[in-house]
Amino acid sequence: MGKATDFRYNTGATMVPWAAVGENYNVHDLMEIIKFLMQGSGKEYDEALEAVWQQVKKLDALATPPGKLSLGSKVEEAEAKCNAYLGTNSSTFVTNATAGFEIAYKYANLKAGDEVIVPAITFVATMAYPLAVGAKLVFADVDPKTINMDPADVARKITDKTKMIVPVHIGGYPVDMDPIMKLAREHDILVLEDAAHAFGAMYKGKKIGTIGDFAAFSMHEVKNITSFGEGGIATTNVPGFEGEMKRARFLGLDFTCPIKDWLYNITPIQGKYEPFVPGNASTTEIQGLGLTLQISRNEEIIAERKRAAAYLTKRFAENDAIIPQDLGNDEIKPTFHLYLLQIDPEKAGGDVQVLKQKLAEKGVTQIAHFGPLYRFKIVEDMGYNAEEIAKTCPNCEEVFYKRFTHLPLYGLSDEQLKYMADAVLASVAEMQEGK
Ligand SMILES: *Cc1c(COP(=O)(O)O)cnc(C)c1O
């Protein structure tokens, strides 16, 4: 307890010299959070909850609330844990991966007239900022084996206006980064890795997300690990920019050189070409705690997903019309965020649209959120011609319409995995029999 005359706000590291204006959580709020995180009903549930309520009230009488709820020691702890895990010193915990991408795009001073090479197939988040500022999106065709960006097509699509290349490690399977980094260095282009699915993936002895100039991982609720629903880790390899990443997360506040009679300054953040004005992507202490706890299980989670993927891949060897997920090797270690299921339409006697329908009828969930970006209305409305772009992305057209879908991997019982494998095999067999 502070003195009655001390109204300063205890931030953990320091006492901020203004009166705290926030309302602390009280025990009722905590109970609601417990009820939200552990939902249930029935007599037994109600009784157990009542017992927790009595204990929480007792705890509350003995405890003090945290001094800080945003950007404090728990966020720092999560970042330190990420640094140790990834082998970097730049991990910055931001609201989500999209916000992390924004810092990189601003660093590059991306604007109208510039070109950005993105893969033809990814989630919209990859291209949101370039689209918003009117930069030109150039869609690289995909490698039909992985559906990741094909470095050979990136090489063909580089022009003297290309400012950034954005490889996306789809499903947590590493993009072939060596040729991309080589091209980028030859042409003075910045590389931003969309590592949303790839926390813990390895490429030739390096962690994904530590190879490009910038990267961001997603801790959204559907990703391998989460920080209570939203979150992202942004990293950089730009020498000397690690500290600036932290300021770029929070509006450029600079405590090192306060203006006269005030606490801090706002100083510009130096990008590659010009200073830029950052936004606010701050995260909370609760998210920090959640992320720290989940990171310690990440390897276990990847191993569990890999076990599930290996089972499916083994089962699919029964039918050569099915092209199973590649499980990686000593150099390439995926995170198995999704299972990439492909078929050979000739051998299967039909394309993946038929398979998707059959799987849906058998109750098998598919993860259907990746389509050709250039087919979206928002892109067409900005003046892009989908049919013209499609001609430059033949593999994308072929794999999307004829060959692939994604299956979920984690949290499945052996029985569910077997059901899924049986359903895929039965569906492809039906197609082959012309049913
Ligand atoms: C989820 C996802 C993102 C965005 O992540 P957020 O943390 O939700 O911003 C970016 N790229 C890909 C490929 C994704 O799947």
Side-chain angles (χ1 to χ4, degrees), residues 1 43 82 94-95 123 133-134 160 163 207 209 216 280 306 314 318 330 343 353 371 398-399 405 408 410-411:
M1 276 288 156
K43 187 161 169 287
C82 282
V94 289
T95 43
F123 184 52
V133 298
D160 56 9
K163 229 177 191 180
K207 281 259 163 47
N280 187 353
K306 185 176 182 180
K314 185 162 154 251
E318 268 175 46
D330 283 349
I343 56 168
Q353 305 309 328
E398 164 78 13
V399 294
T405 186
Y410 191 61

Side-chain angles (χ1 to χ4, degrees), residues 96-98 101 122-123 125-126 168 194 196-197 218 220 223 231 370:
N96 47 47
T98 312
F101 302 158
T122 171
F123 184 52
T126 316
V168 183
D194 177 336
H197 301 171
S218 174
H220 179 263
K223 307 298 154 86
F370 306 107

Side-chain angles (χ1 to χ4, degrees), residues 31 43-57:
M31 280 310 289
K43 187 161 169 287
E44 230 183 313
Y45 177 85
D46 290 344
E47 280 168 10
L49 203 61
E50 177 58 27
V52 173
W53 169 228
Q54 295 309 325
Q55 291 301 323
V56 166
K57 270 199 298 191

Side-chain angles (χ1 to χ4, degrees), residues 141-150 323 340 342-343 394-396 398-400 403-404:
D141 202 2
V142 300
D143 172 343
K145 181 180 153 240
T146 61
I147 76 162
N148 278 339
M149 165 183 271
D150 175 8
I323 303 159
L340 179 66
Q342 300 207 58
I343 56 168
N395 291 337
C396 169
E398 164 78 13
V399 294
F400 179 71
R403 301 175 81 100
F404 91 89

Side-chain angles (χ1 to χ4, degrees), residues 88-104:
T88 175
N89 60 355
S90 65
S91 298
T92 302
F93 190 16
V94 289
T95 43
N96 47 47
T98 312
F101 302 158
E102 191 166 323
I103 295 173

Side-chain angles (χ1 to χ4, degrees), residues 293-352:
L293 297 173
Q294 295 226 331
I295 293 168
S296 57
R297 289 202 301 276
N298 199 47
E299 286 299 312
E300 218 176 283
I301 289 167
I302 292 173
E304 169 65 11
R305 287 172 172 273
K306 185 176 182 180
R307 195 187 61 83
Y311 170 79
L312 294 176
T313 287
K314 185 162 154 251
R315 291 287 313 274
F316 296 156
E318 268 175 46
N319 189 326
D320 74 350
I322 304 174
I323 303 159
Q325 164 80 51
D326 182 89
L327 300 174
N329 50 53
D330 283 349
E331 292 202 322
I332 305 289
K333 297 187 196 301
T335 59
F336 302 96
H337 175 59
L338 299 168
Y339 188 93
L340 179 66
L341 173 67
Q342 300 207 58
I343 56 168
D344 179 332
E346 307 237 304
K347 289 182 185 164
D351 63 38
V352 79

